């Protein structure tokens, strides 16, 4: 996988008609929404949801205040994107690490290295003379013995690293049931744990096979190699994956990390379509590291690879959870559209149960209407939600305190919550927003429309002048929701034509660049779709 440069992740992609929150600088389909997490309060390493909609809650203040990582138990300010990991140690934790560095760390490091060296000769002998035709034959009895030995050795290696037990949930599908395992979120080279448990093939850069010892172990699992020197490598890689996936279980399963890069696990970023191009059933696999101190995460901005290894080996115990979800069988539409297939699998892996949120939405909307334009501070926000003040609540409050005045407009919170509850019903969210901002005669002003669309569509510093004039045909200086609805029906692409037209030129350089630095245990092999880049952004409501 590739590591983002400059501590910043992928730029907005406009997946399935959604636009990324430009302030967050990452895809709108990727946001970890603090609004939803405030109610679910998942633990560290939880997979947080966000559908194919902008992330209205993820707003950065002028001083760079970051996004909320729900459920995080680390101290310090929240990271500003999924590609930043801030690890702050208390004096007690520093003392523990110092003690472990002098005692347990060298023993663990030596034992882990010894286990890897012990595995090398078995992998080397088993890989000698193996050609493609032999690999497609049923596995021989001696190869089964080698598999068992290597898995045992690898398990001892992880045991030496403090992973005393690995919590596995669900049932791993057979190769004939699902030829591809899609694993997320990807956050560290420790994500190799499920690889060594399953010996599934992975996608690796071709240079990896030349690494001493490690390269031999990689070749043993029969990976699909991607070559940087070959311009057609990505296309060939997809073709090879497709060939293996359609071999009726003759080849081992292929384990793919569809995010294509490492994140801090605060959310699932947009899945690359490469793993879904074959159009075969896949089995989603969720990774979690529910540790009090997160020494696992390896992102561009944060602890480096060696520091991560050192800090992790200095923890007495490291937890990891691997959950095998039910096999996902694509529909005919998904087989024809890999991007849609990838998006739907990602939704399954980050599924949010909205029933409670929708009930809460009605309650909070009713309260907000009574408060009208009243601004509230953190204490008032706590009373409004009937939720005690906590780091998570403070973090969420900061997302809406854009100017850091210590007060927020509760209406923005309600609109953001509506986006989370009804990600595919933008007009319903806008209708609710009109009710929150309208005057007694049911109208709103141009400034109100700017606030509504800024929150509902995730567009900072939005200019609604042209849009407001177009909606306000009678030039009354105010509009109703009915006016807006009629206009939206006649101009379904109004956002592209009226809101984003001025920004497209300024943002022409925001496309995701090629990021050569490797990160994690697999590489991004998804072919670039040049046709998509030529198409205009599709900003439709519903």
């Amino acid at each position: 996988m590739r590591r983002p440069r400059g501590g910043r992740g992928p730029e907005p992609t406009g997946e399935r008609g959604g636009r990324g929150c430009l302030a967050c600088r990452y895809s709108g389909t990727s946001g970890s929404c603090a609004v939803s997490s405030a109610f679910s309060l998942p633990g560290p390493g939880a997979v947080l949801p966000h559908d194919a909609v902008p992330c209205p809650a993820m707003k950065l203040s002028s001083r760079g205040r970051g996004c909320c990582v729900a459920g995080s138990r680390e101290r310090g300010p929240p990271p500003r994107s999924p590609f930043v990991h801030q690890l702050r140690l208390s004096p007690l934790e520093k003392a523990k690490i110092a003690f472990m560095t002098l005692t347990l760390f060298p023993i663990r490091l030596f034992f882990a290295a010894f286990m890897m060296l012990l595995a090398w000769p078995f992998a080397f002998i088993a890989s000698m003379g193996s050609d493609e035709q032999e690999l497609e034959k049923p596995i021989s009895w001696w190869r089964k013995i080698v598999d068992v030995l290597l898995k045992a050795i690898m398990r001892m290696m992880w045991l030496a690293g403090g992973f005393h037990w690995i919590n596995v949930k669900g049932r791993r599908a057979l190769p004939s049931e699902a030829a591809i395992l899609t694993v997320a979120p990807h956050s560290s080279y420790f994500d190799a744990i499920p690889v060594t448990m399953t010996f599934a093939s992975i996608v690796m850069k071709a240079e990896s096979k030349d690494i001493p010892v490690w390269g031999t172990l990689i070749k043993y699992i029969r990976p699909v190699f991607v070559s940087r020197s070959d311009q057609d490598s990505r296309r060939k890689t997809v073709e090879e994956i497709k060939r293996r996936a359609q071999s009726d279980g003759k080849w081992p399963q292929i384990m793919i990390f569809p995010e294509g890069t490492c994140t801090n696990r605060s959310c699932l970023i947009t899945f690359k379509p490469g793993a879904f191009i074959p159009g075969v059933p896949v089995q989603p696999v969720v990774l979690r590291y529910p540790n009090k101190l997160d020494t696992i995460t390896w992102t561009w901005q944060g602890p480096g690879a060696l520091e991560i290894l050192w800090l992790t080996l200095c923890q007495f115990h490291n937890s990891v959870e691997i959950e095998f979800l039910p096999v996902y069988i694509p529909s005919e539409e998904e087989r024809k559209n890999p991007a849609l297939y990838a998006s739907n699998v990602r939704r399954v892996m980050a599924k949010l149960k909205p029933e409670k949120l929708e009930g809460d939405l009605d309650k909070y909307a009713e309260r907000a209407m009574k408060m009208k334009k009243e601004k509230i501070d953190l204490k008032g926000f706590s009373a409004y939600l009937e939720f005690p003040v906590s780091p998570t609540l403070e973090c969420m409050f900061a997302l809406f305190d854009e100017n850091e005045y210590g007060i927020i407009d509760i209406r923005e919170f309600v609109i953001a919550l509506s986006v989370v509850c009804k990600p595919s019903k933008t007009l319903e969210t806008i209708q609710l927003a009109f009710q929150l901002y309208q005057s007694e005669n049911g109208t709103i002003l141009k400034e109100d429309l700017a606030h509504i669309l800024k929150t509902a569509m995730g567009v900072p510093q939005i200019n609604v002048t042209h849009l407001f004039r177009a909606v306000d045909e009678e030039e009354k200086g105010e509009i109703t929701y009915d006016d807006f609805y009629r206009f939206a029906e006649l101009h379904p692409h109004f956002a592209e034509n009226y809101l984003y037209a001025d920004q497209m030129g300024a943002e022409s350089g925001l496309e995701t660049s090629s990021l050569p630095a490797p990160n994690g245990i697999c590489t991004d092999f998804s072919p670039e779709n040049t046709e998509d880049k030529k198409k205009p952004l599709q900003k439709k409501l519903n």
Side-chain angles (χ1 to χ4, degrees):
M1 294 189 179
R2 298 181 299 180
R3 196 173 189 181
R5 293 181 293 186
R8 198 173 72 179
E11 304 298 347
T13 60
E15 177 190 357
R16 297 190 66 194
R19 183 176 182 83
C21 179
L22 302 179
C24 294
R25 289 292 186 260
Y26 62 90
S27 169
T29 65
S30 311
S32 155
C33 189
V35 178
S36 61
S37 64
F39 302 98
S40 57
L41 292 179
V47 181
L48 298 182
H50 205 288
D51 270 310
V53 292
C55 182
M58 298 293 239
K59 298 185 290 185
L60 299 180
S61 72
S62 57
R63 299 184 185 180
R65 182 165 298 197
C67 306
C68 177
V69 180
S72 174
R73 298 181 187 176
E74 297 172 20
R75 285 165 291 280
R80 63 179 63 200
S81 85
F83 307 97
V84 177
H85 178 49
Q86 295 179 332
L87 183 61
R88 302 201 174 185
L89 306 174
S90 67
L92 179 59
E93 288 165 343
K94 291 180 180 179
K96 290 180 179 178
I97 290 175
F99 175 77
M100 297 290 278
T101 299
L102 299 175
T103 55
L104 192 58
F105 172 73
I107 299 174
R108 281 182 166 177
L109 185 63
F110 172 80
F111 192 71
F114 176 76
M115 288 294 104
M116 185 174 292
L117 290 173
L118 181 62
W120 177 82
F122 293 100
F124 178 76
I125 295 173
S127 302
M128 288 182 60
S130 298
D131 56 22
E132 193 171 279
Q133 293 181 349
E134 181 180 347
L135 292 176
E136 291 184 349
K137 295 179 181 179
I139 188 171
S140 59
W141 63 270
W142 66 269
R143 178 72 184 240
K144 292 181 180 178
I145 295 177
V146 173
D147 275 6
V148 172
L149 288 174
L150 285 177
K151 287 179 181 179
I153 293 173
M154 290 293 98
R155 183 64 189 93
M156 293 299 294
M157 183 184 73
W158 297 121
L159 181 65
F163 295 91
H164 300 133
W165 53 84
I166 299 174
N167 187 11
V168 179
K169 300 180 180 179
R171 181 187 71 88
R172 177 190 173 190
L174 298 174
S176 58
E177 297 174 311
I180 297 176
L181 304 173
T182 55
V183 186
H186 180 43
S187 60
S188 177
Y189 47 75
F190 286 106
D191 293 348
I193 291 176
V195 178
T196 58
M197 288 180 57
T198 61
F199 275 0
S201 299
I202 57 176
V203 180
M204 291 289 293
K205 57 178 182 174
E207 296 84 353
S208 300
K209 61 184 177 182
D210 298 324
I211 301 175
V213 182
W214 181 245
T216 302
L217 297 174
I218 288 175
K219 286 188 287 187
Y220 176 80
I221 62 175
R222 293 160 280 184
V224 180
F225 287 114
V226 181
S227 175
R228 292 181 184 173
S229 59
D230 186 353
Q231 295 182 348
D232 294 331
S233 181
R234 292 193 175 192
R235 177 183 60 80
K236 293 177 180 177
T237 298
V238 172
E239 291 178 354
E240 176 63 15
I241 292 175
K242 188 174 182 179
R243 186 179 73 85
R244 294 192 186 190
Q246 297 175 347
S247 66
D248 295 327
K250 294 180 180 179
W251 280 88
Q253 287 170 307
I254 303 174
M255 184 172 287
I256 296 174
F257 294 77
E259 291 174 296
T261 190
C262 286
T263 69
N264 57 23
R265 295 190 307 282
S266 62
C267 63
L268 290 181
I269 64 173
T270 306
F271 281 7
K272 306 292 184 181
F276 306 91
I277 290 177
V280 299
V282 302
Q283 182 174 30
V285 182
V286 176
L287 278 181
R288 303 183 184 94
Y289 296 92
N291 299 300
K292 183 176 182 180
L293 182 65
D294 182 8
T295 63
I296 302 291
T297 300
W298 180 33
T299 56
W300 176 258
Q301 187 172 332
L306 294 179
E307 186 177 356
I308 287 294
L309 177 63
W310 164 55
L311 292 174
T312 301
L313 295 185
C314 285
Q315 303 305 308
F316 180 76
H317 172 69
N318 295 298
S319 297
V320 59
E321 294 180 358
I322 305 173
E323 182 173 1
F324 292 91
L325 302 182
V327 173
Y328 189 103
I329 301 176
S331 64
E332 188 62 32
E333 183 182 5
E334 290 170 330
R335 288 191 177 95
K336 296 178 181 178
N337 188 343
L340 174 63
Y341 188 6
S343 176
N344 289 343
V345 171
R346 175 179 163 274
R347 290 187 183 211
V348 170
M349 299 181 71
K351 190 174 183 181
L352 172 69
K353 295 180 179 179
E355 294 83 1
K356 183 179 184 299
L357 285 180
E358 290 199 22
D360 290 332
L361 174 62
D362 295 337
K363 177 178 66 175
Y364 294 134
E366 184 179 352
R367 292 182 185 176
M369 290 177 188
K370 294 179 180 179
M371 297 171 65
K372 296 184 178 181
K373 298 181 181 181
E374 180 183 349
K375 302 290 180 69
I376 59 175
D377 56 14
L378 178 61
K379 186 176 180 180
F381 189 51
S382 172
Y384 170 82
L385 293 178
E386 298 178 351
F387 195 83
V389 176
S390 66
T392 299
L393 189 72
E394 292 175 355
C395 183
M396 185 167 63
F397 181 86
L399 298 175
F400 296 94
D401 184 15
E402 193 169 6
N403 296 317
E404 300 188 4
Y405 292 151
I407 55 175
I408 66 172
D409 188 334
I410 200 62
R411 295 175 294 183
E412 292 187 6
F413 166 80
V414 174
I415 297 172
L417 181 59
S418 179
V419 171
V420 174
C421 295
K422 305 174 181 179
S424 61
K425 300 178 181 179
T426 309
L427 278 176
E428 288 189 17
T429 294
I430 293 179
Q431 182 178 22
L432 173 62
F434 266 78
Q435 295 173 0
L436 293 171
Y437 279 86
Q438 68 188 13
S439 61
E440 293 182 358
N441 60 353
T443 61
I444 66 169
L445 304 177
K446 182 179 70 174
E447 294 77 13
D448 299 324
L449 182 63
H451 284 296
I452 290 172
L453 296 184
K454 176 182 177 182
T455 307
M457 304 183 73
V459 184
Q461 300 177 351
I462 192 170
N463 187 344
V464 301
T465 301
H466 300 301
L467 174 62
F468 191 87
R469 288 176 180 173
V471 177
D472 184 19
E473 295 179 349
E474 299 180 5
E475 299 183 357
K476 297 181 296 184
E478 55 186 18
I479 62 174
T480 65
Y481 174 74
D482 291 336
D483 297 332
F484 183 88
Y485 182 80
R486 284 193 295 269
F487 179 83
E489 276 193 323
L490 295 174
H491 304 85
H493 297 277
F494 76 84
E496 175 188 345
N497 297 328
Y498 290 90
L499 301 181
Y500 303 131
D502 295 338
Q503 299 181 17
M504 293 310 296
E507 293 165 15
S508 59
L510 292 184
E511 296 179 4
T512 305
S513 59
S514 177
L515 304 172
N519 191 349
I521 62 173
C522 74
T523 185
D524 172 26
F525 62 90
S526 300
E528 295 181 2
N529 192 338
T530 55
E531 293 182 0
D532 290 342
K533 294 181 180 180
K534 297 178 183 178
K535 294 179 182 179
L537 291 176
Q538 305 231 344
K539 292 296 159 195
K540 291 181 70 174
L541 290 182
N542 297 339

